[in-house]
Amino acid sequence: MPALPPPTSAGSAALSPRQRGHRGRGRWSGPAAASCAGRRRGCGVPAAASRITGEGPRLPAPPGALGAVAFKDRPHRCHESGSGFGWLLRDVDHQKADWVSIHEKICQLLIPVRTSLPFITSEEERKHGVEQLVKRQKYIIDLTSSTAQKFIFNGKHKNALPAALHALRFSIEVYGSSSVQLVPAYLLLAEACLGTGNLQQASNYLSQAQWIVLRTPDCSSAFQHRLHRSLGLLYAADGNFEQALYHLANDIYFASSAFGLKSIETSGGYFHMANIFFHQNKMDIANSLYAEVTDIWHTFLVKLVQTQEQIRKLRAEKSPFTEDKEVEVSEDTMTEAQQAEAIQVLNAVLDIREKAPEQKPGETARVLHALAMLYYLIMDLSKACEIGMKAFDLLKQLPQQEPLEAVGHLLKLIDSQPSCTK
């Protein structure tokens, strides 16, 4: 394997002998490597990240201000969990960022994970202890990943970085350094870097994800759609719109295969593609794609509102004298990351609709209705009421009565909530 660039003298001098041993094994050193096979297949990354390292890539240093970590011989530790995070943070400001981002949420969870397993003579007990440890680690992966994704959708990309790095760290511990299960964490890191304007580091992380996907013949469509979306966003940020549209088309294809053509997972590809056409002033195509995004979210939210209404009716009809039984209706809910995505996407589309030179009241009212349902579902009732009234007033100007009745029914649902204040 070709030698990687040597670390900075400051970082090397500050490493303890044990940490130098880890560095020698390549866990956190060196830039990311990209597979040239990716470019032949049309899913390569910009030239800045196109380096090959014989057997495979190594993990890149943390991005931006969190990179070039100068490890201390005595890294700072959390007083609650005893967890050292000197591997990530080199000063008080960075430790504070980690705490605000994710450490406060996972502090107590780290205690059993970082506690050594007791000496157990029984093989069955030892196996049970390992299973419990892995279960806790997977829970932390899910929590840190969803937190990072929520920060990204909320535009807080710097806050997403520590959470995504924790997700990557625990993913490596659970699945190993070359597992396809690392791809989501790498993509989160890439998206966070894109949001901070660090395209080079985003390329590095995407190279890691691409390398793993290319080495996994049976890689799922769900992973491939996320990889192509991130590549599309990277190329769009770099101004290469042709390649961006190519990858976003692949994103839509793989998302449709995994989740369905009208799924909210697929809608993200339409949304980012519409943004590119909007930037190119191709408004007919952009408007058509924005309408598709609105329809997908509107249909999804209508089903959620109907399901919630049905559940409440069934619960209200239950007699207090009968035995408690589960309400036999599947209660679909939105994750925090999906909520953040819906808020971001629908508000962006609404802003475009309201500022368009040629107003389309029907399209604008549909976005407003979707947003009102969203805020109702997340119990932001004042916003739901305000936006619902805007949709109702706009629809009164149109001949169609069905949308007006639907919005009117939603306003009654909002008004029926005890905490609703107009």
Side-chain angles (χ1 to χ4, degrees), residues 297-312:
W297 276 107
H298 187 274
T299 302
F300 175 75
L301 292 166
V302 164
K303 288 180 180 177
L304 285 185
V305 170
Q306 290 174 345
T307 301
Q308 189 182 91
E309 187 179 5
Q310 186 180 1
I311 290 169
R312 285 179 177 170

Side-chain angles (χ1 to χ4, degrees), residues 12-294:
S12 180
L15 289 170
S16 68
R18 181 180 177 184
Q19 290 163 338
R20 282 197 295 271
H22 283 303
R23 187 190 64 180
R25 291 194 289 274
R27 288 200 63 181
W28 290 100
S29 62
S35 169
C36 61
R39 189 166 297 284
R40 290 197 299 271
R41 298 186 190 187
C43 59
V45 297
S50 299
R51 297 191 182 95
I52 305 299
T53 65
E55 298 174 359
R58 296 187 179 190
L59 298 179
L66 298 179
V69 177
F71 288 97
K72 304 299 182 183
D73 289 330
R74 298 181 62 187
H76 297 280
R77 292 184 174 272
C78 172
H79 293 295
E80 295 291 333
S81 63
S83 171
F85 38 93
W87 67 280
L88 172 65
L89 311 168
R90 64 182 175 186
D91 58 32
V92 174
D93 288 339
H94 294 155
Q95 290 175 29
K96 183 178 179 181
D98 177 63
W99 181 263
V100 171
S101 169
I102 190 62
H103 199 89
E104 184 178 12
K105 289 185 178 180
I106 64 173
C107 180
Q108 294 298 321
L109 300 174
L110 293 175
I111 297 173
V113 170
R114 292 300 173 219
T115 303
S116 301
L117 290 174
F119 178 75
I120 301 173
T121 55
S122 167
E123 177 65 20
E124 185 178 343
E125 290 180 359
R126 187 198 66 80
K127 188 176 180 181
H128 176 73
V130 172
E131 289 175 353
Q132 290 301 309
L133 174 62
V134 171
K135 188 180 293 185
R136 292 187 184 102
Q137 289 173 323
K138 287 182 177 180
Y139 179 79
I140 292 174
I141 293 170
D142 291 340
L143 178 60
T144 52
S145 298
S146 62
T147 301
Q149 188 67 76
K150 184 181 176 183
F151 277 130
I152 289 170
F153 283 130
N154 286 333
K156 299 177 180 178
H157 297 90
K158 286 185 178 180
N159 287 347
L161 286 169
L165 283 166
H166 278 294
L168 177 60
R169 181 188 187 187
F170 281 100
S171 295
I172 292 170
E173 290 186 10
V174 173
Y175 301 109
S177 61
S178 59
S179 169
V180 72
Q181 298 296 332
L182 272 61
V183 170
Y186 279 127
L187 298 182
L188 286 172
L189 285 164
E191 288 183 50
C193 290
L194 283 174
T196 61
N198 193 342
L199 302 189
Q200 174 64 59
Q201 192 62 53
S203 294
N204 291 344
Y205 283 128
L206 284 174
S207 297
Q208 297 283 357
Q210 183 189 5
W211 176 271
I212 293 172
V213 168
L214 290 172
R215 293 184 63 176
T216 309
D218 57 345
C219 185
S220 70
S221 295
F223 284 148
Q224 293 190 63
H225 111 79
R226 291 188 61 183
L227 173 62
H228 280 287
R229 179 168 301 177
S230 296
L231 286 166
L233 293 175
L234 175 64
Y235 278 112
D238 203 36
N240 189 339
F241 297 127
E242 182 180 353
Q243 277 296 305
L245 290 171
Y246 168 81
H247 285 292
L248 289 173
N250 277 285
D251 161 28
I252 293 169
Y253 169 77
F254 284 114
S256 301
S257 300
F259 305 104
L261 188 61
K262 298 291 185 179
S263 64
I264 57 174
E265 289 82 6
T266 306
S267 71
Y270 291 126
F271 175 70
H272 294 300
M273 194 176 275
N275 289 339
I276 292 175
F277 286 120
F278 181 84
H279 183 81
Q280 295 176 325
N281 205 30
K282 297 178 180 179
M283 296 309 300
D284 288 344
I285 304 175
N287 284 328
S288 175
L289 290 170
Y290 284 134
E292 182 68 19
V293 172
T294 303

Side-chain angles (χ1 to χ4, degrees), residues 336-376:
E336 288 188 354
Q338 287 174 334
Q339 292 172 13
E341 179 183 9
I343 291 170
Q344 179 209 33
V345 169
L346 291 174
N347 275 297
V349 175
L350 177 62
D351 187 60
I352 289 167
R353 293 298 188 205
E354 291 182 334
K355 292 179 179 178
E358 184 182 346
Q359 288 294 304
K360 297 182 178 180
E363 293 290 346
T364 304
R366 195 165 179 80
V367 183
L368 287 167
H369 185 197
L371 270 171
M373 288 188 289
L374 172 62
Y375 286 122
Y376 166 71

